[in-house]
Amino acid sequence: MKSVVVDGATSMLGLALINECIANRIKVLAIARKDSRRLARIPKSEYVEVLLCSQEHAAGLDASALGKYEVYYHFAWGNVLAEQRRNIELQLPNIGYTLDAVALAQRLGCRRFVGAGSQAEYGRVSGRIGPDTPVNPEVAYGVAKYAAGKMAMIRCGQLDMECIWTRTFSVYGIGDNMTTLVMYAIDRLLKGEKPSFTKAQQRWDYLYSRDAGKAFFLIGEKGKAGKVYCIGSGESRPLYEYIYELRDAIDPNLPLGIGEIPYGPLQVMNLQADIRELGKDTSFAPVYSFEKGIRETVEWYRESRGRQ
């Protein structure tokens, strides 16, 4: 693998993959919206070319002057806030945008398309969750991700391209969205404020963004066409343990509001990715412990706040 396309390039996963590609001297075409407030986060590198184009305009993009690439990574996805994920009308366009991305991948000469799905495709299940676990999405976001993955597989087959779909679990780290539990907690604690949580007894699987970037890189390079891969750490423990570790990385004396928020009606109580197939096919194995990853995340956020 010598060249890739990454749409949704300013997302946490997009940035992590781009940095992994730079480390491996892989040419990257990074696609992002021109109105993105995160454009400055795309690394400046001789290996990275930035293309400003929204999902809405990808279908009509003239790719003739952009050169040829090998693998297309699709991270772009609109309306990802909690309340937006439940809205059917807001999620539906993402399916069409995924198919537009497949078509763009073909015009760019890509032999392989890698899509970023979600654990939300499974709904609420118990035990270890793997590629063969039955899907039962309960929110529009999960339904749209599942539909996009199935449609991408079909369309890629029609266009004689390889397709791989991934289902990411709880990735955190540098470039994370401020609406996630991890970033909400870090922000509150750095301000000396008490963050509020549920009882946090659900078992969770957290993976650091650098490890996620490595996983996506290896999938593009070594993954098997037509497969679905779960991306996570492969381990789970009660959420409150992660919260205490996060707090201790900032100040062990700060208070935590565990139990102050009730569980929601569709609360997922178990997340543990089965990454054995991913490891077998690509040799992927997480390197970062949560303790190390969260300390790097806290330091990154401290520095980014200081530049604001």
Side-chain angles (χ1 to χ4, degrees):
M1 187 170 73
K2 296 180 180 179
S3 60
V4 304
V5 182
V6 180
D7 73 20
T10 63
S11 67
M12 173 178 59
L13 291 175
L15 292 169
L17 173 60
I18 290 170
N19 279 310
E20 186 66 27
C21 287
I22 292 171
N24 286 275
R25 300 182 179 181
I26 304 298
K27 177 184 175 184
V28 179
L29 177 64
I31 304 178
R33 302 190 329 267
K34 70 176 181 180
D35 61 345
S36 173
R37 293 175 295 178
R38 298 156 59 101
L39 283 175
R41 292 184 180 177
I42 298 177
K44 305 294 188 296
S45 168
E46 62 181 305
Y47 297 105
V48 178
E49 178 183 354
V50 178
L51 172 65
L52 300 180
C53 178
S54 66
Q55 293 188 86
E56 294 87 346
H57 297 115
L61 181 67
D62 180 4
S64 59
L66 295 174
K68 298 299 181 181
Y69 294 82
E70 295 179 53
V71 180
Y72 191 110
Y73 289 93
H74 178 52
F75 294 116
W77 195 271
N79 300 301
V80 296
L81 299 179
E83 62 275 12
Q84 295 171 333
R85 293 186 179 208
R86 295 187 288 269
N87 189 305
I88 293 174
E89 287 71 28
L90 291 178
Q91 292 304 317
L92 275 175
N94 286 306
I95 302 171
Y97 295 150
T98 298
L99 296 178
D100 291 341
V102 171
L104 177 57
Q106 186 205 36
R107 298 200 300 278
L108 289 167
C110 297
R111 60 177 175 81
R112 167 168 289 186
F113 182 89
V114 180
S118 168
Q119 52 81 19
E121 295 175 51
Y122 292 110
R124 291 173 290 171
V125 294
S126 59
R128 195 183 292 267
I129 303 170
D132 296 327
T133 300
V135 295
N136 183 30
E138 296 179 293
V139 296
Y141 172 78
V143 175
K145 282 285 191 182
Y146 179 64
K150 296 296 284 187
M151 293 287 191
M153 286 282 187
I154 294 170
R155 183 56 56 83
C156 283
Q158 294 171 342
L159 298 176
D160 198 27
M161 270 197 305
E162 296 177 352
C163 184
I164 298 173
W165 195 250
T166 65
R167 293 181 181 141
T168 59
F169 283 58
S170 295
V171 179
Y172 71 96
I174 296 169
D176 202 352
N177 192 312
M178 287 306 301
T179 62
T180 65
L181 180 146
V182 166
M183 294 311 302
Y184 157 77
I186 290 174
D187 183 65
R188 283 294 185 93
L189 291 168
L190 286 177
K191 292 175 180 176
E193 301 172 357
K194 182 178 71 171
S196 297
F197 308 95
T198 64
K199 291 181 180 179
Q201 295 171 328
Q202 56 267 49
R203 297 190 67 84
W204 226 245
D205 182 332
Y206 270 119
L207 181 71
Y208 186 41
S209 57
R210 293 185 192 272
D211 277 330
K214 182 70 170 182
F216 274 102
F217 180 86
L218 290 172
I219 287 169
E221 187 177 51
K222 302 178 180 180
K224 306 297 184 183
K227 280 195 171 185
V228 172
Y229 292 109
C230 291
I231 298 179
S233 72
E235 304 293 336
S236 72
R237 50 192 171 115
L239 182 59
Y240 62 78
E241 292 187 8
Y242 294 107
I243 293 172
Y244 282 122
E245 230 171 281
L246 186 159
R247 188 272 313 273
D248 291 351
I250 297 172
D251 183 347
N253 297 311
L254 291 171
L256 294 171
I258 293 177
E260 293 183 350
I261 299 174
Y263 289 123
L266 297 176
Q267 176 64 56
V268 174
M269 296 301 293
N270 172 72
L271 283 181
Q272 182 178 6
D274 186 343
I275 62 172
R276 288 175 292 184
E277 195 75 5
L278 174 61
K280 183 181 75 173
D281 289 349
T282 71
S283 300
F284 170 74
V287 173
Y288 286 81
S289 65
F290 184 77
E291 179 182 15
K292 182 177 181 181
I294 205 64
R295 289 186 182 279
E296 286 194 8
T297 305
V298 169
E299 187 57 33
W300 161 74
Y301 188 56
R302 274 198 177 110
E303 292 177 359
S304 65
R305 285 176 67 205
R307 291 193 296 267
Q308 292 175 357

